[in-house]
Amino acid sequence: MPEPKKVPEDQRIPAKELTDRGPEQFVQPVHAVRVSTQADAARVTWSGEVRARFEREARVISNLHHPNICTLFDVGSHEGRQFMVMELLDGQSLKERIARGALGVDEVLELGAQMADALEAAHAQGVIHRDIKPANLLLDEEGTVKILDMGLARVDNTGDANDHQLTNTGQVMGTVDYMAPEQASDTRKADARSDIYSLGLVLYELFAGIQRDPEHPISAREANPQVPSYIDQTIAKCLRDDYFFSYHHTTRIWWMIRPDGSRL
């Protein structure tokens, strides 16, 4: 695994200050670091699978360098417990922002272009996020969106058999409300198009202010008449489950939704 950027000694948090909270993340507002820990609630030795998932997440993040992906600074262990030191992000999740109502068209286009660009960078490294949703997208005070939580990401073309052993055939991982059909049947079938499908649902929700109803779907433009027709068509194409008529790369989405209006 490539070495992540190291945090200067005077910015580090003593390992003894890290608190076990089960498999979750928490934030320590010290300098510019975010501390993430994963440990079982019973405070017993990690299972091999949990440890492998932690190490995979660290490996995935360390290979990604993009302004819209949360930065990993350091990885370490203390008394058998591993931890990550990550970028401290001040802001709110898109889930929290959406709870206050639909966003303006220009704002959504800006955020959508950022998300599409970040996903393209991840996909270029063979990384499929598999859990794109508003709760995993943080909006900072400067209007920059950051992709968080690579814990379910799959790394293609790594030659690492452990990546495939961590997910059994037929096993479903992710968030059902934002999951592509092929991922819902088998997580290992997820590819770039799965992230694109999830991105389409996030864009829909940003425009509409509510989740798309899969039982009685209406278009983004029907939900919000201010949505331009070309954006409505772009979102609809993100949500197509037909291989030949769906987007295969987020670059195309970026060109369609970039806020300056210049499109291919």
PDB file of all heavy atoms in Angstrom, residues 40 137 164 187-188 190 218 227 229 241 247:
ATOM      1  N   ASP A  40     -14.838  -3.258  17.374  1.00  0.00           N
ATOM      2  CA  ASP A  40     -16.111  -3.867  17.719  1.00  0.00           C
ATOM      3  C   ASP A  40     -16.585  -3.367  19.070  1.00  0.00           C
ATOM      4  O   ASP A  40     -15.799  -3.019  19.946  1.00  0.00           O
ATOM      5  CB  ASP A  40     -15.957  -5.398  17.761  1.00  0.00           C
ATOM      6  CG  ASP A  40     -14.905  -5.808  18.762  1.00  0.00           C
ATOM      7  OD1 ASP A  40     -13.711  -5.567  18.510  1.00  0.00           O
ATOM      8  OD2 ASP A  40     -15.284  -6.350  19.811  1.00  0.00           O
ATOM      9  N   LEU A 137     -21.710  12.313   1.461  1.00  0.00           N
ATOM     10  CA  LEU A 137     -21.218  13.455   0.706  1.00  0.00           C
ATOM     11  C   LEU A 137     -21.285  14.675   1.605  1.00  0.00           C
ATOM     12  O   LEU A 137     -22.365  15.054   2.065  1.00  0.00           O
ATOM     13  CB  LEU A 137     -22.068  13.670  -0.545  1.00  0.00           C
ATOM     14  CG  LEU A 137     -22.040  12.506  -1.541  1.00  0.00           C
ATOM     15  CD1 LEU A 137     -23.214  12.589  -2.496  1.00  0.00           C
ATOM     16  CD2 LEU A 137     -20.726  12.501  -2.317  1.00  0.00           C
ATOM     17  N   HIS A 164     -11.751  -9.734  -3.232  1.00  0.00           N
ATOM     18  CA  HIS A 164     -12.889 -10.518  -3.684  1.00  0.00           C
ATOM     19  C   HIS A 164     -13.396 -11.442  -2.578  1.00  0.00           C
ATOM     20  O   HIS A 164     -14.576 -11.748  -2.508  1.00  0.00           O
ATOM     21  CB  HIS A 164     -12.492 -11.335  -4.915  1.00  0.00           C
ATOM     22  CG  HIS A 164     -12.052 -10.476  -6.067  1.00  0.00           C
ATOM     23  ND1 HIS A 164     -12.941  -9.770  -6.848  1.00  0.00           N
ATOM     24  CD2 HIS A 164     -10.811 -10.182  -6.535  1.00  0.00           C
ATOM     25  CE1 HIS A 164     -12.275  -9.096  -7.778  1.00  0.00           C
ATOM     26  NE2 HIS A 164     -10.992  -9.331  -7.610  1.00  0.00           N
ATOM     27  N   THR A 187     -23.543  -7.585  -4.809  1.00  0.00           N
ATOM     28  CA  THR A 187     -22.636  -6.443  -4.687  1.00  0.00           C
ATOM     29  C   THR A 187     -21.437  -6.561  -5.620  1.00  0.00           C
ATOM     30  O   THR A 187     -20.925  -5.564  -6.111  1.00  0.00           O
ATOM     31  CB  THR A 187     -22.161  -6.300  -3.233  1.00  0.00           C
ATOM     32  OG1 THR A 187     -23.302  -6.096  -2.402  1.00  0.00           O
ATOM     33  CG2 THR A 187     -21.219  -5.120  -3.067  1.00  0.00           C
ATOM     34  N   ARG A 188     -20.992  -7.801  -5.883  1.00  0.00           N
ATOM     35  CA  ARG A 188     -19.800  -7.964  -6.723  1.00  0.00           C
ATOM     36  C   ARG A 188     -20.057  -7.601  -8.182  1.00  0.00           C
ATOM     37  O   ARG A 188     -19.108  -7.473  -8.958  1.00  0.00           O
ATOM     38  CB  ARG A 188     -19.295  -9.397  -6.615  1.00  0.00           C
ATOM     39  CG  ARG A 188     -18.876  -9.774  -5.207  1.00  0.00           C
ATOM     40  CD  ARG A 188     -17.862 -10.880  -5.156  1.00  0.00           C
ATOM     41  NE  ARG A 188     -18.227 -12.031  -5.966  1.00  0.00           N
ATOM     42  CZ  ARG A 188     -17.472 -13.126  -6.062  1.00  0.00           C
ATOM     43  NH1 ARG A 188     -16.333 -13.203  -5.400  1.00  0.00           N
ATOM     44  NH2 ARG A 188     -17.864 -14.147  -6.800  1.00  0.00           N
ATOM     45  N   ALA A 190     -21.374  -4.791  -9.032  1.00  0.00           N
ATOM     46  CA  ALA A 190     -21.318  -3.326  -9.125  1.00  0.00           C
ATOM     47  C   ALA A 190     -20.102  -2.896  -9.929  1.00  0.00           C
ATOM     48  O   ALA A 190     -19.005  -3.427  -9.772  1.00  0.00           O
ATOM     49  CB  ALA A 190     -21.269  -2.719  -7.728  1.00  0.00           C
ATOM     50  N   ILE A 218     -41.518   9.900 -10.752  1.00  0.00           N
ATOM     51  CA  ILE A 218     -41.766  11.039 -11.630  1.00  0.00           C
ATOM     52  C   ILE A 218     -40.407  11.631 -11.975  1.00  0.00           C
ATOM     53  O   ILE A 218     -39.425  11.412 -11.271  1.00  0.00           O
ATOM     54  CB  ILE A 218     -42.675  12.106 -10.974  1.00  0.00           C
ATOM     55  CG1 ILE A 218     -42.013  12.663  -9.701  1.00  0.00           C
ATOM     56  CG2 ILE A 218     -44.049  11.538 -10.680  1.00  0.00           C
ATOM     57  CD1 ILE A 218     -42.789  13.812  -9.069  1.00  0.00           C
ATOM     58  N   VAL A 227     -35.924  22.569 -13.172  1.00  0.00           N
ATOM     59  CA  VAL A 227     -34.856  21.717 -13.695  1.00  0.00           C
ATOM     60  C   VAL A 227     -34.855  21.799 -15.219  1.00  0.00           C
ATOM     61  O   VAL A 227     -35.878  21.522 -15.854  1.00  0.00           O
ATOM     62  CB  VAL A 227     -35.056  20.254 -13.249  1.00  0.00           C
ATOM     63  CG1 VAL A 227     -33.999  19.353 -13.890  1.00  0.00           C
ATOM     64  CG2 VAL A 227     -35.006  20.146 -11.737  1.00  0.00           C
ATOM     65  N   SER A 229     -34.501  20.864 -19.101  1.00  0.00           N
ATOM     66  CA  SER A 229     -34.861  19.598 -19.743  1.00  0.00           C
ATOM     67  C   SER A 229     -33.639  18.720 -19.991  1.00  0.00           C
ATOM     68  O   SER A 229     -33.708  17.494 -19.860  1.00  0.00           O
ATOM     69  CB  SER A 229     -35.597  19.870 -21.058  1.00  0.00           C
ATOM     70  OG  SER A 229     -34.795  20.628 -21.946  1.00  0.00           O
ATOM     71  N   ASP A 241     -31.343   1.157 -16.623  1.00  0.00           N
ATOM     72  CA  ASP A 241     -30.675  -0.103 -16.299  1.00  0.00           C
ATOM     73  C   ASP A 241     -30.316  -0.897 -17.555  1.00  0.00           C
ATOM     74  O   ASP A 241     -29.844  -2.030 -17.469  1.00  0.00           O
ATOM     75  CB  ASP A 241     -31.534  -0.953 -15.363  1.00  0.00           C
ATOM     76  CG  ASP A 241     -32.936  -1.225 -15.917  1.00  0.00           C
ATOM     77  OD1 ASP A 241     -33.170  -0.897 -17.093  1.00  0.00           O
ATOM     78  OD2 ASP A 241     -33.763  -1.763 -15.161  1.00  0.00           O
ATOM     79  N   TYR A 247     -25.163   5.656 -19.040  1.00  0.00           N
ATOM     80  CA  TYR A 247     -23.812   6.214 -19.030  1.00  0.00           C
ATOM     81  C   TYR A 247     -22.832   5.169 -18.521  1.00  0.00           C
ATOM     82  O   TYR A 247     -23.117   4.450 -17.568  1.00  0.00           O
ATOM     83  CB  TYR A 247     -23.739   7.442 -18.125  1.00  0.00           C
ATOM     84  CG  TYR A 247     -24.445   8.662 -18.655  1.00  0.00           C
ATOM     85  CD1 TYR A 247     -25.528   9.215 -17.965  1.00  0.00           C
ATOM     86  CD2 TYR A 247     -24.021   9.285 -19.831  1.00  0.00           C
ATOM     87  CE1 TYR A 247     -26.177  10.344 -18.447  1.00  0.00           C
ATOM     88  CE2 TYR A 247     -24.660  10.418 -20.321  1.00  0.00           C
ATOM     89  CZ  TYR A 247     -25.735  10.942 -19.617  1.00  0.00           C
ATOM     90  OH  TYR A 247     -26.370  12.057 -20.092  1.00  0.00           O
TER      91      TYR A 247
END
